[in-house]
Amino acid sequence: MNREQQFKDHLRTAGERVTAPRLSVFRALLRHSPMPMSKLIVKARADGVDPVTTYRTVDLFRKLGLVQEVGMGRNRLMELSDNYQAHHHHFTCLMCGKIDDFDSSALEYELQRIGGELGAEISWHQLEITGTCAGCCRKQK
């Protein structure tokens, strides 16, 4: 099943309607996330969705577990939940602002091991790394 159909089924199962504005916001997040709310509003507005509707849609998506907020320093970015993309982490360049997604099976294993040592079951985690990307490092030399 493709992600858009999965999204529609999720809305219907929750008793919510599939509307053009909801599809527009979902598609923008699918193509461009993570992104700040201000950019999401611009993307949705290009599809004819007003800012108030975009905010309400994101609030509904949060309630339904369709989106998650990612902390990037002082910035809060929106992206689709792990139900719609592979679980990953982010590296943000402090120089140019570029965001790279990455995943590490060794890191995931270590987090589960730590959870076990604590006697805890980890259900979700977020890891954000900041530094200087390879391109900016080359420019500095």
Side-chain angles (χ1 to χ4, degrees), residues 35-106:
M35 74 172 110
M37 193 66 184
S38 59
K39 283 190 182 178
L40 181 56
I41 288 169
V42 169
K43 299 278 184 199
R45 183 177 271 160
D47 284 342
V49 181
D50 66 88
V52 171
T53 300
T54 301
Y55 275 108
R56 287 180 180 157
T57 299
V58 169
D59 284 343
L60 173 65
F61 287 5
R62 267 194 204 111
K63 182 179 100 177
L64 298 177
L66 297 170
V67 296
Q68 58 197 22
E69 253 184 287
V70 179
M72 303 284 194
R74 295 176 307 196
N75 298 323
R76 304 303 294 168
L77 306 179
M78 303 302 303
E79 72 176 4
L80 292 172
S81 70
D82 291 347
N83 295 329
Y84 294 93
Q85 56 190 359
H87 178 75
H88 62 276
H89 304 284
H90 303 98
F91 173 88
T92 305
C93 180
L94 294 170
M95 304 270 306
C96 69
K98 179 181 171 188
I99 300 171
D100 285 320
D101 295 347
F102 71 93
D103 189 22
S104 165
S105 57

Side-chain angles (χ1 to χ4, degrees), residues 94-136:
L94 294 170
M95 304 270 306
C96 69
K98 179 181 171 188
I99 300 171
D100 285 320
D101 295 347
F102 71 93
D103 189 22
S104 165
S105 57
L107 179 60
E108 298 300 324
Y109 173 81
E110 188 64 16
L111 289 171
Q112 291 303 318
R113 186 191 66 72
I114 291 168
E117 282 182 5
L118 296 172
E121 185 176 314
I122 297 173
S123 55
W124 187 84
H125 67 272
Q126 179 178 321
L127 176 66
E128 309 304 329
I129 300 174
T130 56
T132 306
C133 72
C136 290

